[in-house]
Amino acid sequence: MTGVLLNVLGVEVGAQVPAPLLAPLALYGPHAALSRPVHHRVRVQVQSGRQAAGPEAYTVRTHSSEVQVTPDGPDAAWIHGATLDAHLSVTCEESVITVHTESARPDDALMVAFTEVLRAQGLLPLHAAVLAQGGQVTALLGPSGTGKSTALLEALLSGARPVTEDYGLFEPATGLLHGLDGGLRCLPDTLARVRAALPNLTEPATVRGKALVTWDMLGTEQRWHAPLTHMEVLRRDGREAGVRPLPVAQRVMNLWAATGVPLLPVNRDWTNGVIGTLARELTWVERTVPHHLTP
């Protein structure tokens, strides 16, 4: 069992559950740079047994798997994973995540529940590589395999600073993008590019099937918080590289793909408003990446 687990921008998680269950939350820290005075507490507790998905259940795809979600009123929901079922209840005072399971195996359902709490506290999750360079802070969007990690690496080697490699939290109240990743997670082809640029690179650890090259190993310093100014959507095809403006409707579509599906009605309305603002107010382009450039 554990006590206070982490503080993510003032959202504090306290848990009285077996430590292995909390592994999906490792992405969020603890990072000292993300700690703030606590304004919302999340209590994670565990009960034995499982809860079957209801007739209204629908599927939500995560970054690595999928879960089933059963609505439970305006401010609560069940999230059904492979090894556990998490009941989420969100109020102004605190949020409670009750994990129903027969084992201590980690599951993405807990991550989905906590991400929904962050949405309710005004933080929009974004699957994007984000870099700061020349007074601009640019989020690189696109499906897996379009070259986000490669584009980020090339920018870093030319002097950019990383904000995050794959996942961040956008805070509309401040306009800041908060980075969560501690380095570049590389498939073999991207790692080969890193080694070609840095022949003395030490052997990186393997995390979730990819080599983790930390920002220190790359000789760069992470910028934990940065005001988001630009969006660049990467698209891979067989033509020459090129850049074109992106219509507003496609901006909105790409943002929904990058942030995922909110579970609670109030979060859906809030997310829709934030996406509309980002689509209108930031500078957007689509960059075509030729097939011969690997991700």
Side-chain angles (χ1 to χ4, degrees):
M1 299 289 182
T2 186
V4 173
L5 175 66
L6 56 99
N7 178 320
V8 181
L9 301 170
V11 180
E12 184 182 76
V13 179
Q16 296 298 322
V17 303
L21 279 176
L22 302 173
L25 300 186
L27 169 67
Y28 290 107
H31 298 305
L34 298 179
S35 295
R36 285 183 181 172
V38 176
H39 64 81
H40 189 81
R41 286 184 167 83
V42 183
R43 180 160 45 93
V44 182
Q45 56 194 21
V46 66
Q47 294 185 9
S48 61
R50 296 291 306 270
Q51 176 74 25
E56 308 90 359
Y58 57 91
T59 300
V60 171
R61 297 191 182 279
T62 71
H63 200 47
S64 58
S65 62
E66 63 180 36
V67 298
Q68 297 290 310
V69 176
T70 302
D72 188 26
D75 53 12
W78 284 94
I79 301 99
H80 310 279
T83 62
L84 62 83
D85 307 289
H87 184 265
L88 168 66
S89 175
V90 178
T91 68
C92 294
E93 293 75 23
E94 72 167 1
S95 296
V96 179
I97 302 173
T98 304
V99 175
H100 295 251
T101 185
E102 297 292 356
S103 73
R105 291 176 56 192
D107 193 287
D108 278 354
L110 181 58
M111 174 76 158
V112 172
F114 182 60
T115 300
E116 195 68 9
V117 174
L118 294 176
R119 284 194 182 96
Q121 299 307 308
L123 297 166
L124 183 76
L126 276 182
H127 282 288
V130 185
L131 59 101
Q133 188 173 31
Q136 299 181 1
V137 177
T138 303
L140 307 177
L141 307 181
S144 177
T146 51
K148 296 188 295 294
S149 294
T150 297
L152 177 61
L153 173 61
E154 291 173 351
L156 298 183
L157 294 176
S158 68
R161 287 179 60 185
V163 180
T164 197
E165 185 260 347
D166 182 64
Y167 194 73
L169 297 170
F170 176 69
E171 187 177 18
T174 62
L176 294 176
L177 192 291
H178 305 279
L180 295 172
D181 296 318
L184 195 67
R185 292 182 299 116
C186 304
L187 291 171
D189 45 10
T190 304
L191 182 59
R193 282 192 173 86
V194 176
R195 292 191 185 281
L198 302 171
N200 296 323
L201 183 76
T202 57
E203 187 64 29
T206 300
V207 178
R208 288 179 287 174
K210 294 183 178 180
L212 176 62
V213 181
T214 66
W215 306 131
D216 286 343
M217 294 167 68
L218 288 170
T220 187
E221 182 180 357
Q222 182 176 18
R223 187 172 173 183
W224 283 95
H225 320 280
L228 192 59
T229 62
H230 288 67
M231 291 282 194
E232 187 171 301
V233 177
L234 302 184
R235 182 169 63 88
R236 181 177 296 280
D237 66 14
R239 299 193 298 270
E240 293 293 325
V243 177
R244 71 175 184 91
L246 200 64
V248 172
Q250 292 185 31
R251 302 175 189 181
V252 170
M253 179 184 67
N254 279 279
L255 280 169
W256 274 111
T259 192
V261 179
L263 309 185
L264 304 180
V266 65
N267 283 353
R268 286 194 286 272
D269 294 340
W270 174 81
T271 300
N272 192 53
V274 174
I275 284 176
T277 299
L278 290 174
R280 292 189 307 271
E281 296 186 357
L282 298 189
T283 300
W284 285 77
V285 297
E286 180 185 71
R287 183 178 299 277
T288 301
V289 182
H291 274 309
H292 66 271
L293 295 180
T294 52

